[in-house]
Amino acid sequence: MAIVLECNNLSKTYGKVKAVQDISLKLEENKIYGLLGRNGAGKTTLLNLLCSQIIRDSGEVKVFKEEVFENASALEKLCFVKERDLPIADYKVNRIFKAASMLYPNWDEEYKKYLIKEFKIDIKKKYKNLSRGNKTLVNVIIGLASRAAITIFDEPSLGLDAAVREKFYNLLLQDYENNKRTIVISTHLIDEVSSLFEEIIILNNGQLQVQEELAILLEKAYFLSGREENILPFLKDKKIIHKEFFGATAIVGVFGKLSESEIRELKLKNIEVSSMPLQKLFIYITEKALI
């Protein structure tokens, strides 16, 4: 697949805090990425750097092979939906949508109107007078209707209840199937959206810890449940990332692919093998800086 965005040796420091440290990554066309990290991991700083919203200390960012800094033709291919309020909060919502339509060459006006009805947004209200959830929805509508080749959502579920979040995820996936583009979603609600992700990017302490296809990553993460003395012989070349006990039963979180013969042997030893959810894997590998 073609590379639509890449950064090399990207760094940003605030005083003594290294927010982003020497990050290099590539994003492919027509793919949905999950950007994960704990609070302070550097996710929002990285996104701001990729979209040239802040000035980098070092490194480069290219969109469709063009340097993004002060490059209007590259920037119009990016739509960055932030978690913060829009800077033009005193504008009425319809005026904000009008301004957005002039920023993005592929803006879909009909889809915008459809989304306004779906989310029941009062476009005659001033943005600053909307509820937190409706402010988020205005931002989300801009992201979806922009039809930008690279669309980035930073915490797009802020202030949304469970039903509206599910509607947003369904609309995003449906629109992605009909209008392919590269989408990046930065979120803390990992379990809710993990089914959308094709590839995972994990930041930890300002550094890139993992970039991996989700299916490949999850194939290597699992729980083993049984007597500890029966489990341990199988773990010589695997990484133990979690361990807990319930009476005589041990539950061991493991990172390292199992062969079919190993799985058969485990079952013969009455050891249960179960898949590990992405959120659990994320917690374990970031708290111990593993893999």
Side-chain angles (χ1 to χ4, degrees), residues 79-91:
C79 181
F80 183 19
V81 180
K82 298 185 180 184
E83 63 170 318
R84 294 181 180 178
D85 288 355
L86 293 172
I88 47 178
D90 204 45
Y91 283 18

Side-chain angles (χ1 to χ4, degrees), residues 205-219:
N205 296 319
Q207 297 178 306
L208 179 64
Q209 186 171 4
V210 175
Q211 183 176 7
E212 183 76 90
E213 293 279 347
L214 178 58
I216 294 172
L217 184 66
L218 292 182
E219 276 183 1

Side-chain angles (χ1 to χ4, degrees), residues 19-240:
V20 168
Q21 302 180 55
D22 199 32
I23 288 180
S24 298
L25 56 82
K26 296 179 180 180
L27 304 185
E28 297 177 342
E29 65 179 350
N30 304 334
K31 205 169 194 179
I32 301 180
Y33 291 84
L35 176 61
L36 311 178
R38 298 192 171 204
N39 289 336
K43 302 188 302 299
T44 297
T45 300
L46 174 63
L47 295 179
N48 276 304
L49 290 168
L50 295 180
C51 298
S52 201
Q53 301 278 311
I54 56 176
I55 297 174
R56 71 197 81 142
D57 293 338
S58 60
E60 64 174 5
V61 180
K62 292 184 178 181
V63 170
F64 292 93
K65 299 183 180 180
E66 291 185 82
E67 167 60 48
V68 74
F69 183 66
E70 294 186 341
N71 184 340
S73 67
L75 289 171
E76 70 182 15
K77 297 178 178 70
L78 286 164
C79 181
F80 183 19
V81 180
K82 298 185 180 184
E83 63 170 318
R84 294 181 180 178
D85 288 355
L86 293 172
I88 47 178
D90 204 45
Y91 283 18
K92 288 184 177 179
V93 173
N94 57 358
R95 189 177 176 190
I96 289 174
F97 285 140
K98 183 66 175 176
S101 72
M102 293 185 284
L103 284 174
Y104 302 106
N106 298 322
W107 179 265
D108 190 325
E109 184 68 14
E110 291 306 310
Y111 191 50
K112 178 214 76 174
K113 292 176 181 177
Y114 168 75
L115 292 172
I116 287 170
K117 289 181 181 178
E118 282 292 305
F119 290 123
K120 300 179 175 62
I121 300 297
D122 184 351
I123 62 172
K124 295 180 181 179
K125 275 190 174 183
K126 287 187 176 182
Y127 180 86
K128 68 180 182 181
N129 294 331
L130 296 177
S131 67
R132 174 67 267 175
N134 280 343
K135 286 178 180 177
T136 294
L137 288 171
V138 169
N139 300 356
V140 159
I141 290 170
I142 291 171
L144 291 172
S146 73
R147 296 274 189 252
I150 304 166
T151 306
I152 299 172
F153 295 95
D154 188 12
E155 296 294 345
S157 55
L158 196 66
L160 304 182
D161 63 35
V164 178
R165 292 199 304 270
E166 184 174 3
K167 176 178 278 193
F168 163 58
Y169 303 144
N170 290 337
L171 284 167
L172 183 145
L173 189 57
Q174 181 182 26
D175 186 59
Y176 171 74
E177 293 299 328
N178 296 331
N179 301 277
K180 293 289 189 181
R181 54 177 139 170
T182 298
I183 295 173
V184 179
I185 303 173
S186 174
T187 182
H188 287 96
L189 301 177
I190 299 171
D191 278 346
E192 280 195 359
V193 291
S194 60
S195 62
L196 298 177
F197 300 151
E198 297 170 70
E199 190 163 320
I200 297 297
I201 299 166
I202 297 178
L203 300 188
N204 200 9
N205 296 319
Q207 297 178 306
L208 179 64
Q209 186 171 4
V210 175
Q211 183 176 7
E212 183 76 90
E213 293 279 347
L214 178 58
I216 294 172
L217 184 66
L218 292 182
E219 276 183 1
K220 295 182 283 189
Y222 44 88
F223 289 113
L224 300 181
S225 178
R227 297 189 68 85
E228 185 178 24
E229 60 267 27
N230 292 337
I231 294 173
L232 291 179
F234 291 92
L235 303 181
K236 292 178 182 177
D237 59 344
K238 312 290 191 301
K239 289 183 179 178
I240 297 175

Side-chain angles (χ1 to χ4, degrees), residues 6 103 143 267:
E6 64 178 306
L103 284 174
K267 290 180 178 178

